[in-house]
Amino acid sequence: MYVLETKKNKFKLQQKDALSNIEGLLFGVKNKHYKISDQEIVSLIIYNKKLAHPIAKRQVEARYKKLIALLTELLVSDDDTGNCYNEALNQIEKFRQIIKNKYRDYLTKKELEEMGKQLALFQKEAKNRFLELQNTLYINKGQRSSCK
């Protein structure tokens, strides 16, 4: 249970830049208002890495499950143009960049390696299928009919 205390600040903040440089993990929805003890809170930011680890892990796992579902759907689809494979590669790279920039400090190395290995397999599969599709299109384009 949490207890909120309201105290009046007797001192003024001298170095505002020092507080703006501290990075934390945004918890919950950005624009949602939370009510705790009749106090309305706009955004919750967790600065302690030990407290942020389980929350970051849960957020990453939710995004990861959505990504895996999307990738399996894209790789199973029968698209003759190869757009689905390009989209799969783009989604994998987008997820990697999000993890690299936002969650790397809060996750363990082992968790990052496990996700990286599985994403590398999906990426390799998408590249192979895209190359196969390009090769078949190239071969079919090079063949001419022998009808006279």
Side-chain angles (χ1 to χ4, degrees), residues 56-69:
K57 185 177 178 182
R58 193 175 331 126
Q59 288 178 352
V60 168
E61 284 179 358
R63 284 186 181 210
Y64 187 68
K65 286 179 183 178
K66 287 181 186 177
L67 177 69
I68 296 298

Side-chain angles (χ1 to χ4, degrees), residues 24-35:
L25 179 69
L26 183 65
F27 177 69
V29 182
K30 187 175 185 180
N31 296 325
K32 185 177 177 182
H33 298 283
Y34 296 97
K35 276 197 166 182

Side-chain angles (χ1 to χ4, degrees), residues 82-132:
N83 290 336
C84 62
Y85 304 126
N86 281 332
E87 181 65 25
L89 292 171
N90 289 339
Q91 290 297 325
I92 290 171
E93 190 60 34
K94 181 180 175 183
F95 181 77
R96 283 187 176 189
Q97 291 299 321
I98 289 171
I99 295 300
K100 179 182 175 184
N101 296 330
K102 192 173 181 181
Y103 295 108
R104 177 179 279 176
D105 296 334
Y106 305 106
L107 297 175
T108 62
K109 189 174 182 178
K110 182 180 178 183
E111 293 166 346
L112 292 171
E113 286 176 356
E114 288 176 6
M115 283 189 287
K117 286 178 183 177
Q118 290 180 349
L119 287 177
L121 290 175
F122 277 112
Q123 192 173 24
K124 185 177 180 181
E125 182 67 26
K127 282 182 182 178
N128 287 341
R129 289 189 183 186
F130 183 70
L131 289 175
E132 287 176 11

